[in-house]
Amino acid sequence: MTDYAGLLKQGTAGLEKAGVEDIELNARELLGKALGINCRSRDFDAALSRQIDPQVQMEFENLCKRRTEGEPLQYLVGEWEFYGLTFKVGEGVLIPRQDTETVVDTVLKKAPKDRKLTVADLCTGSGCIAMALEKHLDCRQLIGVELSDKALGFLQHNIKLNDSKMQVLKGDVTLKQTAQQLPVCDVITANPPYLTRRDMENLQKEVTFEPRSALYGGDDGLDFYRHIVINFKDRIKPGGFFAFEIGAGMEEDVMTILVRHGFENVRASRDACGIFRCVTGYKK
Ligand code: GLN
């Protein structure tokens, strides 16, 4: 084994032995990281026939080892793609997931296109929902609300990376005073923590590396929906709407919370796997 193609093969075999899923993708991403070359670029394929630099080999083998120990691929790579944009990620911030693109798709379908919008994204984390919306909507103002200092660090970086105009409000969405600092919005989105106590006891190894504060939504997983609807319902214009990401099987409960607080035309939309993933409701 003298070239990177050989090293890649060896790394792939190691990941397979450890039971990692998607071994080819993982190995390519990690070799790309070690080489400092995006593995989806042509340069990467060209590099595969090059002679191995021992420094790169060491780095690659170290990354593969950490991956077999459960560290998420996205944290090891340090950035991840969401809705065609790149986000810096690492320990302390929730990894952008493909499921969450359903929230963006749903909002883009429902949001008015004929005027400038005021949009807030609660529990914004990396800022992935907010910045994806910003690229496709005409936003007068876009605000991301986040509590965790670690997540805020990634968020600030991502704002620069994506040349975003989003504003950041540090605050706890379970407190009314946070809502009082927001303007009245056309759309409020949130992917709040929604895992139940049971879910937290059965987390996939990779997910245990992600911040608990971004995952745990109380015993039944619904705490944040209750707080958000109560605290922020007055921060939506008449005719404006909430769009929430939800966990599998939560649609009835989250829709009920919205209906109880007077929201209309409450609907759930499915993700690419056919699971209800986004709930929306309009302010009267
Ligand atoms: N979708 C995440 C998971 O299943 C949970 C994120 C959240 O609670 N918002 O791991």
Side-chain angles (χ1 to χ4, degrees), residues 105-133:
D105 285 333
T106 305
V107 172
L108 293 183
K109 256 185 235 150
K110 295 182 185 262
K113 307 285 177 314
D114 55 345
R115 56 193 164 85
K116 288 190 179 291
L117 303 175
T118 302
V119 178
D121 180 40
L122 312 181
C123 312
T124 195
S126 64
C128 64
I129 294 177
M131 287 180 239
L133 290 175

mmCIF file of all heavy atoms in Angstrom, residues 105-133:
data_model
loop_
_atom_site.group_PDB
_atom_site.id
_atom_site.type_symbol
_atom_site.label_atom_id
_atom_site.label_comp_id
_atom_site.label_asym_id
_atom_site.label_seq_id
_atom_site.Cartn_x
_atom_site.Cartn_y
_atom_site.Cartn_z
ATOM 1 N N ASP A 105 -38.479 23.207 3.621
ATOM 2 C CA ASP A 105 -39.360 23.013 2.458
ATOM 3 C C ASP A 105 -40.783 23.488 2.769
ATOM 4 O O ASP A 105 -41.419 24.149 1.943
ATOM 5 C CB ASP A 105 -39.439 21.521 2.083
ATOM 6 C CG ASP A 105 -38.175 21.035 1.376
ATOM 7 O OD1 ASP A 105 -37.499 21.851 0.732
ATOM 8 O OD2 ASP A 105 -37.872 19.829 1.494
ATOM 9 N N THR A 106 -41.267 23.124 3.947
ATOM 10 C CA THR A 106 -42.642 23.467 4.320
ATOM 11 C C THR A 106 -42.809 24.980 4.415
ATOM 12 O O THR A 106 -43.780 25.540 3.898
ATOM 13 C CB THR A 106 -43.005 22.796 5.672
ATOM 14 O OG1 THR A 106 -42.772 21.399 5.548
ATOM 15 C CG2 THR A 106 -44.462 23.042 6.038
ATOM 16 N N VAL A 107 -41.851 25.644 5.063
ATOM 17 C CA VAL A 107 -41.950 27.099 5.202
ATOM 18 C C VAL A 107 -41.863 27.764 3.824
ATOM 19 O O VAL A 107 -42.626 28.680 3.520
ATOM 20 C CB VAL A 107 -40.857 27.641 6.146
ATOM 21 C CG1 VAL A 107 -40.842 29.165 6.138
ATOM 22 C CG2 VAL A 107 -41.062 27.125 7.564
ATOM 23 N N LEU A 108 -40.983 27.267 2.980
ATOM 24 C CA LEU A 108 -40.849 27.886 1.654
ATOM 25 C C LEU A 108 -42.130 27.726 0.844
ATOM 26 O O LEU A 108 -42.488 28.602 0.060
ATOM 27 C CB LEU A 108 -39.649 27.300 0.900
ATOM 28 C CG LEU A 108 -38.266 27.619 1.504
ATOM 29 C CD1 LEU A 108 -37.157 27.043 0.643
ATOM 30 C CD2 LEU A 108 -38.070 29.116 1.706
ATOM 31 N N LYS A 109 -42.830 26.629 1.035
ATOM 32 C CA LYS A 109 -44.103 26.430 0.341
ATOM 33 C C LYS A 109 -45.167 27.401 0.847
ATOM 34 O O LYS A 109 -46.000 27.874 0.083
ATOM 35 C CB LYS A 109 -44.599 24.992 0.570
ATOM 36 C CG LYS A 109 -44.392 24.094 -0.644
ATOM 37 C CD LYS A 109 -44.998 22.724 -0.401
ATOM 38 C CE LYS A 109 -43.948 21.642 -0.618
ATOM 39 N NZ LYS A 109 -44.153 20.447 0.200
ATOM 40 N N LYS A 110 -45.168 27.663 2.154
ATOM 41 C CA LYS A 110 -46.272 28.412 2.764
ATOM 42 C C LYS A 110 -46.022 29.907 2.899
ATOM 43 O O LYS A 110 -46.977 30.674 3.050
ATOM 44 C CB LYS A 110 -46.570 27.824 4.157
ATOM 45 C CG LYS A 110 -47.093 26.407 4.093
ATOM 46 C CD LYS A 110 -47.441 25.852 5.471
ATOM 47 C CE LYS A 110 -47.852 24.397 5.376
ATOM 48 N NZ LYS A 110 -49.304 24.186 5.348
ATOM 49 N N ALA A 111 -44.776 30.319 2.891
ATOM 50 C CA ALA A 111 -44.487 31.733 3.173
ATOM 51 C C ALA A 111 -44.870 32.620 1.999
ATOM 52 O O ALA A 111 -44.655 32.247 0.845
ATOM 53 C CB ALA A 111 -43.002 31.892 3.486
ATOM 54 N N PRO A 112 -45.429 33.810 2.281
ATOM 55 C CA PRO A 112 -45.763 34.740 1.200
ATOM 56 C C PRO A 112 -44.500 35.176 0.458
ATOM 57 O O PRO A 112 -43.458 35.375 1.078
ATOM 58 C CB PRO A 112 -46.387 35.940 1.926
ATOM 59 C CG PRO A 112 -46.484 35.599 3.358
ATOM 60 C CD PRO A 112 -45.767 34.328 3.611
ATOM 61 N N LYS A 113 -44.619 35.302 -0.876
ATOM 62 C CA LYS A 113 -43.436 35.630 -1.686
ATOM 63 C C LYS A 113 -43.475 37.093 -2.155
ATOM 64 O O LYS A 113 -42.546 37.566 -2.787
ATOM 65 C CB LYS A 113 -43.372 34.731 -2.932
ATOM 66 C CG LYS A 113 -43.453 33.240 -2.661
ATOM 67 C CD LYS A 113 -42.169 32.699 -2.092
ATOM 68 C CE LYS A 113 -42.237 31.213 -1.735
ATOM 69 N NZ LYS A 113 -43.397 30.742 -0.993
ATOM 70 N N ASP A 114 -44.617 37.763 -1.869
ATOM 71 C CA ASP A 114 -44.834 39.078 -2.463
ATOM 72 C C ASP A 114 -44.413 40.224 -1.550
ATOM 73 O O ASP A 114 -44.666 41.372 -1.832
ATOM 74 C CB ASP A 114 -46.311 39.227 -2.830
ATOM 75 C CG ASP A 114 -47.223 38.978 -1.634
ATOM 76 O OD1 ASP A 114 -46.731 38.420 -0.620
ATOM 77 O OD2 ASP A 114 -48.404 39.350 -1.693
ATOM 78 N N ARG A 115 -43.775 39.915 -0.419
ATOM 79 C CA ARG A 115 -43.351 41.002 0.470
ATOM 80 C C ARG A 115 -42.202 40.544 1.359
ATOM 81 O O ARG A 115 -41.903 39.349 1.454
ATOM 82 C CB ARG A 115 -44.517 41.484 1.322
ATOM 83 C CG ARG A 115 -45.168 40.394 2.117
ATOM 84 C CD ARG A 115 -46.490 40.881 2.686
ATOM 85 N NE ARG A 115 -47.301 39.777 3.138
ATOM 86 C CZ ARG A 115 -47.192 39.226 4.347
ATOM 87 N NH1 ARG A 115 -46.312 39.682 5.214
ATOM 88 N NH2 ARG A 115 -47.963 38.210 4.686
ATOM 89 N N LYS A 116 -41.594 41.532 1.993
ATOM 90 C CA LYS A 116 -40.469 41.232 2.887
ATOM 91 C C LYS A 116 -40.987 40.657 4.198
ATOM 92 O O LYS A 116 -42.011 41.094 4.715
ATOM 93 C CB LYS A 116 -39.689 42.515 3.168
ATOM 94 C CG LYS A 116 -38.888 43.000 1.974
ATOM 95 C CD LYS A 116 -37.952 44.116 2.404
ATOM 96 C CE LYS A 116 -37.124 44.617 1.242
ATOM 97 N NZ LYS A 116 -36.141 43.627 0.780
ATOM 98 N N LEU A 117 -40.266 39.677 4.714
ATOM 99 C CA LEU A 117 -40.753 38.948 5.889
ATOM 100 C C LEU A 117 -39.844 39.145 7.100
ATOM 101 O O LEU A 117 -38.625 39.314 6.969
ATOM 102 C CB LEU A 117 -40.828 37.457 5.574
ATOM 103 C CG LEU A 117 -41.698 37.047 4.383
ATOM 104 C CD1 LEU A 117 -41.570 35.558 4.133
ATOM 105 C CD2 LEU A 117 -43.153 37.439 4.614
ATOM 106 N N THR A 118 -40.466 39.085 8.254
ATOM 107 C CA THR A 118 -39.724 39.028 9.514
ATOM 108 C C THR A 118 -39.813 37.593 10.018
ATOM 109 O O THR A 118 -40.918 37.062 10.184
ATOM 110 C CB THR A 118 -40.326 40.010 10.535
ATOM 111 O OG1 THR A 118 -40.278 41.322 9.972
ATOM 112 C CG2 THR A 118 -39.554 39.991 11.845
ATOM 113 N N VAL A 119 -38.662 36.988 10.211
ATOM 114 C CA VAL A 119 -38.619 35.559 10.542
ATOM 115 C C VAL A 119 -37.753 35.340 11.774
ATOM 116 O O VAL A 119 -36.683 35.953 11.904
ATOM 117 C CB VAL A 119 -38.024 34.756 9.355
ATOM 118 C CG1 VAL A 119 -37.920 33.269 9.685
ATOM 119 C CG2 VAL A 119 -38.851 34.962 8.087
ATOM 120 N N ALA A 120 -38.228 34.486 12.675
ATOM 121 C CA ALA A 120 -37.398 34.094 13.819
ATOM 122 C C ALA A 120 -37.271 32.579 13.843
ATOM 123 O O ALA A 120 -38.222 31.859 13.531
ATOM 124 C CB ALA A 120 -38.007 34.596 15.121
ATOM 125 N N ASP A 121 -36.079 32.113 14.204
ATOM 126 C CA ASP A 121 -35.839 30.674 14.362
ATOM 127 C C ASP A 121 -35.401 30.449 15.806
ATOM 128 O O ASP A 121 -34.345 30.943 16.219
ATOM 129 C CB ASP A 121 -34.759 30.206 13.374
ATOM 130 C CG ASP A 121 -34.479 28.718 13.494
ATOM 131 O OD1 ASP A 121 -35.448 27.939 13.666
ATOM 132 O OD2 ASP A 121 -33.287 28.329 13.426
ATOM 133 N N LEU A 122 -36.213 29.691 16.549
ATOM 134 C CA LEU A 122 -35.924 29.451 17.962
ATOM 135 C C LEU A 122 -35.077 28.193 18.103
ATOM 136 O O LEU A 122 -35.188 27.280 17.291
ATOM 137 C CB LEU A 122 -37.237 29.289 18.741
ATOM 138 C CG LEU A 122 -38.309 30.357 18.487
ATOM 139 C CD1 LEU A 122 -39.548 30.078 19.337
ATOM 140 C CD2 LEU A 122 -37.770 31.754 18.771
ATOM 141 N N CYS A 123 -34.269 28.138 19.155
ATOM 142 C CA CYS A 123 -33.360 26.997 19.369
ATOM 143 C C CYS A 123 -32.550 26.793 18.096
ATOM 144 O O CYS A 123 -32.445 25.678 17.579
ATOM 145 C CB CYS A 123 -34.119 25.722 19.702
ATOM 146 S SG CYS A 123 -35.377 25.911 20.980
ATOM 147 N N THR A 124 -31.983 27.856 17.599
ATOM 148 C CA THR A 124 -31.419 27.853 16.243
ATOM 149 C C THR A 124 -30.149 27.024 16.095
ATOM 150 O O THR A 124 -29.828 26.557 15.008
ATOM 151 C CB THR A 124 -31.220 29.309 15.748
ATOM 152 O OG1 THR A 124 -31.008 29.311 14.342
ATOM 153 C CG2 THR A 124 -30.053 29.996 16.431
ATOM 154 N N GLY A 125 -29.388 26.838 17.168
ATOM 155 C CA GLY A 125 -28.199 25.966 17.115
ATOM 156 C C GLY A 125 -27.183 26.447 16.099
ATOM 157 O O GLY A 125 -26.723 27.589 16.154
ATOM 158 N N SER A 126 -26.883 25.611 15.128
ATOM 159 C CA SER A 126 -25.933 25.973 14.066
ATOM 160 C C SER A 126 -26.481 27.089 13.180
ATOM 161 O O SER A 126 -25.732 27.695 12.409
ATOM 162 C CB SER A 126 -25.643 24.756 13.191
ATOM 163 O OG SER A 126 -26.839 24.344 12.524
ATOM 164 N N GLY A 127 -27.796 27.318 13.242
ATOM 165 C CA GLY A 127 -28.445 28.336 12.406
ATOM 166 C C GLY A 127 -28.895 27.781 11.060
ATOM 167 O O GLY A 127 -29.253 28.535 10.153
ATOM 168 N N CYS A 128 -28.899 26.449 10.937
ATOM 169 C CA CYS A 128 -29.124 25.867 9.610
ATOM 170 C C CYS A 128 -30.509 26.192 9.030
ATOM 171 O O CYS A 128 -30.621 26.534 7.846
ATOM 172 C CB CYS A 128 -28.837 24.365 9.614
ATOM 173 S SG CYS A 128 -29.911 23.396 10.668
ATOM 174 N N ILE A 129 -31.561 26.137 9.866
ATOM 175 C CA ILE A 129 -32.906 26.433 9.338
ATOM 176 C C ILE A 129 -32.964 27.896 8.911
ATOM 177 O O ILE A 129 -33.398 28.229 7.796
ATOM 178 C CB ILE A 129 -34.006 26.148 10.393
ATOM 179 C CG1 ILE A 129 -34.077 24.653 10.710
ATOM 180 C CG2 ILE A 129 -35.373 26.659 9.907
ATOM 181 C CD1 ILE A 129 -35.091 24.300 11.792
ATOM 182 N N ALA A 130 -32.493 28.765 9.796
ATOM 183 C CA ALA A 130 -32.592 30.203 9.541
ATOM 184 C C ALA A 130 -31.865 30.592 8.254
ATOM 185 O O ALA A 130 -32.405 31.310 7.403
ATOM 186 C CB ALA A 130 -32.017 30.974 10.731
ATOM 187 N N MET A 131 -30.637 30.122 8.102
ATOM 188 C CA MET A 131 -29.851 30.543 6.932
ATOM 189 C C MET A 131 -30.359 29.910 5.643
ATOM 190 O O MET A 131 -30.292 30.533 4.578
ATOM 191 C CB MET A 131 -28.375 30.269 7.169
ATOM 192 C CG MET A 131 -27.805 31.274 8.171
ATOM 193 S SD MET A 131 -26.059 31.013 8.518
ATOM 194 C CE MET A 131 -26.132 30.753 10.277
ATOM 195 N N ALA A 132 -30.903 28.704 5.734
ATOM 196 C CA ALA A 132 -31.506 28.101 4.537
ATOM 197 C C ALA A 132 -32.718 28.926 4.103
ATOM 198 O O ALA A 132 -32.904 29.186 2.908
ATOM 199 C CB ALA A 132 -31.901 26.655 4.817
ATOM 200 N N LEU A 133 -33.515 29.377 5.068
ATOM 201 C CA LEU A 133 -34.684 30.212 4.733
ATOM 202 C C LEU A 133 -34.245 31.540 4.133
ATOM 203 O O LEU A 133 -34.812 32.015 3.149
ATOM 204 C CB LEU A 133 -35.536 30.459 5.985
ATOM 205 C CG LEU A 133 -36.295 29.240 6.522
ATOM 206 C CD1 LEU A 133 -37.005 29.589 7.823
ATOM 207 C CD2 LEU A 133 -37.289 28.719 5.492
#
